[in-house]
Amino acid sequence: MEKFIINGPTILHGNVTIAGAKNVALKAIVTSLLTDDEIVLHNMPHIRDVLLMLEVVKSLGANVTIDGNTIRIANGHTKNTIVPLEIGARLRTSSMVLGPMLSRYGSAMIPNPGGCRIGARPIDRHIEGLKLMGATIDYDSKDGYFHAHARHLHGAQISFLKNTHTGTETLILAAVLADGTTVLKNAAEEVEIDDLIALLNAMGAKITRSGNKEITIVGVPKLHGTEYTIMSDRNEEATFAIAALTTKGDITVHHSQRHNMKTFLEAFEKAGGVYNMLDDTTTEYFYDKQIQPVDIVTGIYPGFMTDWQAPWALLMTQAAGISTIHETVFENRFSYVEELRKMGANIAYFDPNVEHPEIFYNFNWKDRIHGTHQGISITGPTKLHNAILSMNDLRAGATVVLAAMVATGQSSVYGVEQIDRGYEHIDTRLQALGASIERIEEDEVV
Ligand code: EPZ
């Protein structure tokens, strides 16, 4: 077990290069199953979830070579179509191999990806779409696997009842080799999906965004290998921009995705932050004056991303006044609140007044957990103090690490594996910005 020892307060300043986008990298790895040619992926982040996803495709017979941030995958011979439980159950995106396995080999067994710390996260929308394309998929609670078969996948008209980012991607991955044309309606619009589409089209797929929240995929008989550089990570950039503002510092971000972060930049400026567009892919974020409270409602693209709300809450603890965050995508995404409260933050839960919550919220209303809330109100500014902290999920982890940098004193932060899932070498990059953060092996408690 590792932990971080962090001393604060720290002012962060300097340069950071944003890593490749986790939420593209994981799906790019899945595309290797769609061809027996080699694919070469550049700008791949060194994060735990990428290594886990590589274990998934290796268990299905792929040969993988990692050379810095370049990963080469040759899927010569798929040994089997069963994703091992101990790998698949740890990574939600492992379920996305369903489409490629069904379209190429007619069968697949994947562990139930199950929930994680931010909610139930079922894949019912993925399954319903695959069934419309001719798959039979049954869940066996005895072995914890989804058992999927398809003599061949055929094109279909699929209209998602509610938005789903990876659901949209799962159906794209299933449709590229299917017989005929598939049209996805109410398809997700996150820009990471467009990067995946560009990669698949470079492999010979025929995918277009054919209308408002509509994607058309014309099935082709075969895909070929390619070489592709994935986009950089919007979530990393938002985290570093918030780090600059919260610590009253100044961080210049290279490989910036600001052109895909309009709602974030609007909120950032409303809070009193300043950003300079140094060139097309370089953005400087810095503190200028007292932070102001800004109310946030998270939403699907192009709204304020749910992945940004956790570090944003930390920023709002430093704002002069009361701000609120209304989380509408996941049903349990405030795990960091208790950690910030330990440091003196003044945060209260509330239930926003919503007329038809079963329609309004992006999660399945029946999945909500008794006693959770969709809103928090934050009163600031608060001088945070050190504490013994833990990271319960990826974005909450980044929030807690930043909070320890704002706080006065030395904090211990447990659960480092959570933040390593999605932030490449976060400690060394924060050290380069002036942070006092040390990763140490925690003696196993005997
Ligand atoms: C993706 O999750 C991202 N993960 C998330 O990033 C991101 O927060 C989310 O999209 C929203 O943009 C990856 O791409 C690997 P959804 P995903 O399907 O696809 C419910 C991070 O920190 N739902 O759009 O799982 C679901 O539980 C992660 O990098 C169903 O009920 O999100 C959620 O509440 C966190 N049934 C809501 O809908 C389904 O079949 C939106 O889910 C599918 C989803």
Side-chain angles (χ1 to χ4, degrees):
M1 276 280 270
E2 291 178 312
K3 70 179 179 182
F4 285 147
I5 299 292
I6 299 173
N7 295 294
T10 308
I11 297 175
L12 296 181
H13 54 83
N15 292 274
V16 67
T17 298
I18 298 302
K22 168 180 85 76
N23 293 341
V24 175
L26 300 179
K27 296 70 173 270
I29 291 169
V30 178
T31 68
S32 65
L33 299 172
L34 290 165
T35 174
D36 283 344
D37 294 351
E38 180 181 69
I39 61 165
V40 183
L41 300 168
H42 299 294
N43 198 31
M44 294 289 277
H46 275 265
I47 54 177
R48 282 180 75 245
D49 277 10
V50 163
L51 298 177
L52 260 179
M53 199 69 214
L54 290 172
E55 287 308 310
V56 171
V57 293
K58 280 159 71 175
S59 74
L60 298 174
N63 301 308
V64 170
T65 317
I66 299 175
D67 174 12
N69 292 100
T70 293
I71 297 178
R72 314 173 84 89
I73 312 174
N75 168 36
H77 307 287
T78 291
K79 285 192 308 249
N80 65 41
T81 58
I82 303 173
V83 174
L85 195 63
E86 66 278 5
I87 303 176
R90 290 166 58 193
L91 188 64
R92 173 174 172 72
T93 42
S94 59
S95 65
M96 299 179 76
V97 303
L98 268 176
M101 303 314 287
L102 286 172
S103 59
R104 298 199 70 210
Y105 308 109
S107 77
M109 271 176 62
I110 56 141
N112 181 351
C116 65
R117 275 73 176 228
I118 61 178
R121 301 189 78 179
I123 55 169
D124 50 308
R125 298 170 203 169
H126 306 226
I127 302 287
E128 280 149 31
L130 289 169
K131 285 181 174 174
L132 287 174
M133 296 180 69
T136 55
I137 304 176
D138 301 302
Y139 178 64
D140 181 345
S141 56
K142 288 194 293 305
D143 63 14
Y145 272 88
F146 282 101
H147 297 255
H149 301 279
R151 241 166 14 83
H152 68 275
L153 290 179
H154 55 72
Q157 294 263 358
I158 297 164
S159 187
F160 291 109
L161 282 179
K162 285 190 175 182
N163 194 79
T164 169
H165 181 153
T166 47
T168 298
E169 294 170 325
T170 293
L171 273 301
I172 290 173
L173 289 163
V176 288
L177 293 177
D179 296 343
T181 297
T182 298
V183 178
L184 304 180
K185 293 186 181 296
N186 195 25
E189 296 182 305
E190 278 75 11
V191 289
E192 287 75 18
I193 298 172
D194 295 291
D195 216 30
L196 177 66
I197 289 172
L199 165 56
L200 287 165
N201 284 342
M203 295 169 70
K206 287 185 181 154
I207 311 164
T208 52
R209 278 200 181 270
S210 42
N212 177 35
K213 291 182 72 74
E214 182 184 281
I215 294 174
T216 298
I217 306 109
V218 178
V220 295
K222 203 169 155 49
L223 292 185
H224 53 73
T226 192
E227 191 159 351
Y228 188 81
T229 300
I230 71 167
M231 67 186 277
S232 48
D233 194 308
R234 293 189 296 150
N235 293 334
E236 264 212 351
E237 178 158 358
T239 305
F240 281 109
I242 291 170
L245 195 47
T246 315
T247 64
K248 299 184 178 170
D250 179 338
I251 297 178
T252 296
V253 160
H254 300 270
H255 294 186
S256 171
Q257 280 289 332
R258 70 168 181 269
H259 50 291
N260 285 317
M261 300 172 70
K262 191 165 169 301
T263 44
F264 175 81
L265 296 174
E266 285 163 0
F268 188 82
E269 284 192 305
K270 264 177 85 175
V274 179
Y275 68 93
N276 281 339
M277 301 180 278
L278 302 183
D279 65 32
D280 215 17
T281 60
T282 310
T283 309
E284 179 190 15
Y285 295 95
F286 58 96
Y287 176 86
D288 177 47
K289 55 187 181 295
Q290 170 59 48
I291 294 159
Q292 297 304 312
V294 176
D295 295 332
I296 293 291
V297 181
T298 66
I300 60 176
Y301 192 85
F304 191 96
M305 278 190 82
T306 171
D307 301 334
W308 301 335
Q309 60 97 334
W312 187 265
L314 167 65
L315 177 65
M316 289 296 104
T317 66
Q318 305 308 301
I322 299 173
S323 59
T324 59
I325 293 177
H326 183 183
E327 169 58 51
T328 72
V329 177
F330 290 99
E331 72 273 17
N332 188 23
R333 201 160 197 188
F334 290 128
S335 70
Y336 57 85
V337 168
E338 291 318 311
E339 302 307 305
L340 296 183
R341 280 175 164 173
K342 286 181 195 171
M343 306 172 85
N346 181 350
I347 304 177
Y349 292 104
F350 74 99
D351 294 313
N353 184 18
V354 171
E355 205 174 339
H356 298 293
E358 71 287 350
I359 297 169
F360 176 79
Y361 287 112
N362 193 197
F363 56 85
N364 297 337
W365 186 240
K366 65 177 176 43
D367 287 334
R368 72 194 182 291
I369 305 161
H370 178 70
T372 55
H373 306 275
Q374 295 307 122
I376 58 172
S377 72
I378 304 160
T379 305
T382 307
K383 201 163 168 36
L384 300 178
H385 57 75
N386 61 330
I388 306 292
L389 302 159
S390 59
M391 300 188 257
N392 300 308
D393 70 70
L394 169 54
R395 306 303 168 187
T399 301
V400 165
V401 166
L402 293 184
M405 276 165 211
V406 173
T408 303
Q410 182 173 93
S411 298
S412 295
V413 186
Y414 291 85
V416 174
E417 68 283 354
Q418 280 300 333
I419 200 167
D420 285 342
R421 282 189 46 219
Y423 291 90
E424 184 177 90
H425 312 314
I426 189 69
D427 41 338
T428 47
R429 294 159 80 198
L430 286 170
Q431 283 160 357
L433 293 169
S436 165
I437 176 172
E438 197 193 347
R439 180 190 292 257
I440 63 171
E441 195 60 42
E442 173 66 4
D443 300 339
E444 291 301 323
V445 177
V446 289

